[in-house]
C-alpha cells in the first residue's frame, strides 16, 4: 500500500492549458516536498511546504499543503512543453526520511 | 562542483552475482541515502546514513548492505543479485535537519537476468 497516493499517474495536455496534480495520504507529515525528475536524471527539489494551509508559488506553479498536513496539490497555469516531466511528492517522516508518492508523468504537447 | 556522483551508470548482472554501487558527494553533507525507483512505485528508501558511522534500514532493505566509508562516500552492495532487484538506484545526500533538500545523483540502471 502506497503511503502517499498521487493522481493522476499520467496526464497529457495541450500547451496553454491548466492542470492540477494531487498528493493524498491518511498520515500526517511534518512537511511535504515536491520534486521534478527528467529522464535519465535524479529528482530535483521544487518546493517544501511546512505549515498546514500554506501556499507557495514558483512562477506558474502553485503548491498548497492541506490544512491537516495530510495532502498537497500542485497547480500549473498555462502549461508549457518545458513543464514535461515526472512530478513526485514526498512526505517527511521522523527526522529526515522521505516517503515518496508513485509520481505523475506529465506531458505537455505543443 | 560535481554534487552527487554514482558509478556505474549501467550494469547487467546474472542472478547470484554480487556487485557494489558507489556514491560520493562533495557538498560536505552529513546524511546520505539509497533509493530504488521502479515503474509506478516512486522512490523507495533502501538504507540511509544520518551521519558518518551510522546506518539504518529504510522501507526495502532486504537483499542489500551498505557501508558509510567516510563522510563523502556511501556504497550499496548486492551480495546475491535477484531479478527482483532490477531497478534504477539513486543515491542522495542532505544536510541534517527536517525538511532539508535532498540532492540526488544521476542514478544507476541495474538489470539482473
Amino acid at each position: 500500500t502506497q503511503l502517499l497516493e498521487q493522481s493522476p499517474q499520467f496526464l497529457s495536455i495541450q500547451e496553454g492549458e491548466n492542470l492540477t496534480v494531487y498528493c493524498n495520504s491518511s498520515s500526517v507529515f511534518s512537511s511535504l516536498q515536491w520534486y521534478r525528475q527528467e529522464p535519465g536524471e535524479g529528482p530535483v527539489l521544487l518546493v517544501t511546504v511546512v505549515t498546514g494551509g500554506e501556499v507557495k508559488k514558483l512562477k506558474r506553479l502553485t503548491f498548497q499543503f492541506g490544512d491537516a498536513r495530510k495532502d498537497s496539490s500542485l497547480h500549473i497555469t498555462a502549461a508549457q512543453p518545458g513543464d514535461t516531466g515526472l512530478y513526485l511528492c514526498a512526505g517527511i517522516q521522523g527526522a529526515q526520511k522521505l516517503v515518496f508518492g508513485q509520481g505523475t508523468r506529465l506531458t505537455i504537447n505543443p | 562542483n560535481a554534487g552527487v556522483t554514482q558509478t556505474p551508470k549501467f550494469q547487467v548482472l546474472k542472478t547470484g552475482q554480487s556487485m557494489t554501487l558507489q556514491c560520493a558527494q562533495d557538498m560536505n553533507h552529513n546524511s546520505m541515502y539509497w533509493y530504488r525507483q521502479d515503474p509506478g512505485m516512486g522512490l523507495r528508501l533502501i538504507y540511509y546514513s544520518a551521519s558518518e558511522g551510522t546506518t539504518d534500514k529504510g522501507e526495502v532493505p532486504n537483499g542489500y548492505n551498505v557501508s558509510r566509508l567516510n563522510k563523502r562516500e556511501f556504497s550499496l552492495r548486492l551480495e546475491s543479485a535477484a531479478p527482483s532487484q532490477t531497478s534504477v538506484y539513486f543515491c542522495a545526500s542532505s544536510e541534517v535537519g527536517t525538511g532539508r533538500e535532498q540532492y540526488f545523483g544521476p542514478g544507476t540502471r541495474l538489470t539482473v537476468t
Side-chain angles (χ1 to χ4, degrees):
Chain A
T1 303
Q2 197 80 20
L3 195 58
L4 271 171
E5 296 285 341
Q6 280 187 243
S7 62
Q9 289 196 28
F10 300 92
L11 184 58
S12 179
I13 62 172
Q14 294 299 119
E15 182 177 359
E17 293 183 356
N18 301 332
L19 67 107
T20 302
V21 175
Y22 299 94
C23 177
N24 295 300
S25 175
S26 57
S27 301
V28 175
F29 294 99
S30 58
S31 54
L32 193 139
Q33 297 178 328
W34 284 90
Y35 287 80
R36 180 179 157 192
Q37 185 177 15
E38 304 276 2
E41 298 179 9
V44 175
L45 181 69
L46 294 173
V47 75
T48 301
V49 284
V50 178
T51 308
E54 182 176 4
V55 177
K56 279 192 174 178
K57 289 182 187 273
L58 189 66
K59 297 183 181 178
R60 294 175 292 100
L61 278 61
T62 301
F63 304 86
Q64 185 161 6
F65 201 12
D67 291 340
R69 306 207 320 276
K70 292 182 180 181
D71 56 84
S72 181
S73 63
L74 157 60
H75 182 80
I76 300 179
T77 304
Q80 298 178 1
D83 295 327
T84 293
L86 179 67
Y87 290 81
L88 296 153
C89 65
I92 297 170
Q93 287 189 322
Q96 291 160 233
K97 289 164 61 173
L98 291 181
V99 176
F100 281 86
Q102 70 270 61
T104 295
R105 190 162 299 279
L106 176 63
T107 303
I108 310 300
N109 303 299
Chain B
N1 196 350
V4 179
T5 57
Q6 291 182 236
T7 55
K9 212 164 166 53
F10 301 93
Q11 183 72 49
V12 178
L13 291 178
K14 294 188 189 312
T15 297
Q17 287 184 320
S18 63
M19 79 161 295
T20 300
L21 280 65
Q22 307 287 353
C23 173
Q25 52 93 8
D26 63 2
M27 295 173 282
N28 202 35
H29 287 162
N30 283 297
S31 302
M32 298 186 74
Y33 313 81
W34 276 106
Y35 294 90
R36 59 178 289 173
Q37 185 174 34
D38 303 294
M41 298 291 290
L43 281 86
R44 291 181 292 169
L45 184 64
I46 304 171
Y47 271 94
Y48 68 104
S49 171
S51 61
E52 187 179 355
T54 69
T55 60
D56 286 287
K57 295 178 181 179
E59 184 185 350
V60 288
N62 291 346
Y64 306 95
N65 285 301
V66 290
S67 294
R68 184 73 184 265
L69 304 169
N70 47 55
K71 191 171 185 179
R72 289 188 63 247
E73 298 172 289
F74 189 36
S75 63
L76 178 72
R77 183 160 178 83
L78 287 70
E79 290 290 352
S80 180
S84 61
Q85 294 177 305
T86 293
S87 188
V88 182
Y89 291 85
F90 288 98
C91 176
S93 71
S94 74
E95 295 283 2
V96 174
T98 302
R100 296 301 185 115
E101 177 177 1
Q102 291 193 10
Y103 293 82
F104 287 81
T108 294
R109 186 174 293 275
L110 175 67
T111 302
V112 183
T113 61

